[in-house]
Amino acid sequence: MAEPSFAIDADARAQFLKLTLVGDWDAAITARFAAEVMATLRGMMSGGMAHGQLRTLLDMRRKGVVPQVVANEFARILHKDSPSRRVAILASGALHRLQVKRLMDDRCALFDTEEEARAWLFAD
């Protein structure tokens, strides 16, 4: 498995946030990720993005199954109080997809390709 890492790509004008997660995570990288996501969201909100209008693409295709502490943090990010209107999730492997499904709510959908995910996110 690849070294644990993440990338955050934000486009405030399009109200779009792409989060790419790689590798097997522990509590330390999860905390770093959460802090950077929150800082990015604060910047987007101060730049004029309305709460509840964000389209989020969460790419976890190269990420391993997560321990419970990490799953709890992801659940916070996907919580109904988050600024996301829709969350498209990319995951691979049956176990990983099952784990992701437990965190999803009615604003979330699971996809196989980024093209399908983006089409769903921007279909209004």
Side-chain angles (χ1 to χ4, degrees), residues 8 10 32-46:
I8 300 172
R32 215 168 62 244
F33 170 73
E36 289 192 33
V37 167
M38 293 309 294
T40 299
L41 291 173
R42 279 192 300 275
M44 292 176 81
M45 300 287 269
S46 68

Side-chain angles (χ1 to χ4, degrees), residues 23-59:
D24 287 327
W25 284 30
D26 59 15
I29 192 167
T30 302
R32 215 168 62 244
F33 170 73
E36 289 192 33
V37 167
M38 293 309 294
T40 299
L41 291 173
R42 279 192 300 275
M44 292 176 81
M45 300 287 269
S46 68
M49 185 189 75
H51 186 83
Q53 297 305 308
L54 184 64
R55 295 170 179 96
T56 303
L57 175 59
L58 181 58
D59 185 348

Side-chain angles (χ1 to χ4, degrees), residues 5 8 30 34-35 54 61-63 65 68 72 76 83 86-87 94 104 116 118:
S5 64
I8 300 172
T30 302
L54 184 64
R61 292 175 290 186
R62 295 180 43 216
K63 185 171 179 334
V65 175
Q68 190 59 45
N72 292 343
R76 241 177 32 112
R86 287 185 164 186
V87 180
M104 294 171 48
E116 293 170 325
R118 284 179 181 263

